[in-house]
């Protein structure tokens, strides 16, 4: 799954992700209506992955962070951007 801190975020966010070594993942940030805003893929090189994203270009508000593995299994969490 994806874990983030519960504090409001204004510039960068680091995601702590439980992964499977060698597996491919997609990490997406969507607005609360489900519209994708940021999207990037990666291949895990360990069982625990840290990914940092600059979110300073996002407006204040709530967003969903969705991690999808190669099999299509999804894990979702919410973040709040507050500048």
């Amino acid at each position: 799954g994806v874990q983030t801190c519960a504090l409001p975020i204004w510039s960068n966010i680091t995601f702590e992700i439980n992964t499977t070594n060698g597996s491919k993942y997609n990490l997406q940030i969507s607005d609360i209506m489900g519209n994708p805003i940021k999207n990037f893929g990666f291949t895990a090189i360990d069982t625990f992955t840290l990914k940092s994203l600059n979110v300073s270009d996002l407006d204040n508000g709530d967003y969903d962070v969705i991690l999808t593995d190669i099999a299509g299994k999804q894990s979702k969490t919410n973040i709040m951007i507050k500048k």
Side-chain angles (χ1 to χ4, degrees), residues 44-76:
I45 58 171
D46 204 342
T47 57
F48 182 77
T49 302
L50 292 175
K51 285 290 178 189
S52 187
L53 248 184
N54 184 325
V55 293
S56 63
D57 58 331
L58 298 180
D59 293 330
N60 287 346
D62 290 326
Y63 295 87
D64 287 326
V65 178
I66 304 165
L67 177 72
T68 307
D69 67 15
I70 192 103
K73 182 179 175 185
Q74 292 187 337
S75 177
K76 183 164 67 168

Side-chain angles (χ1 to χ4, degrees), residues 4-40:
T4 61
C5 61
L7 301 173
I9 301 153
W10 53 89
S11 63
N12 287 310
I13 183 171
T14 299
F15 300 99
E16 299 175 358
I17 308 167
N18 295 323
T19 53
T20 301
N21 189 13
S23 292
K24 296 183 184 215
Y25 295 87
N26 185 66
L27 191 61
Q28 176 180 293
I29 297 178
S30 299
D31 63 20
I32 58 172
M33 301 300 290
N35 300 311
I37 296 172
K38 289 187 177 270
N39 193 28
F40 67 93

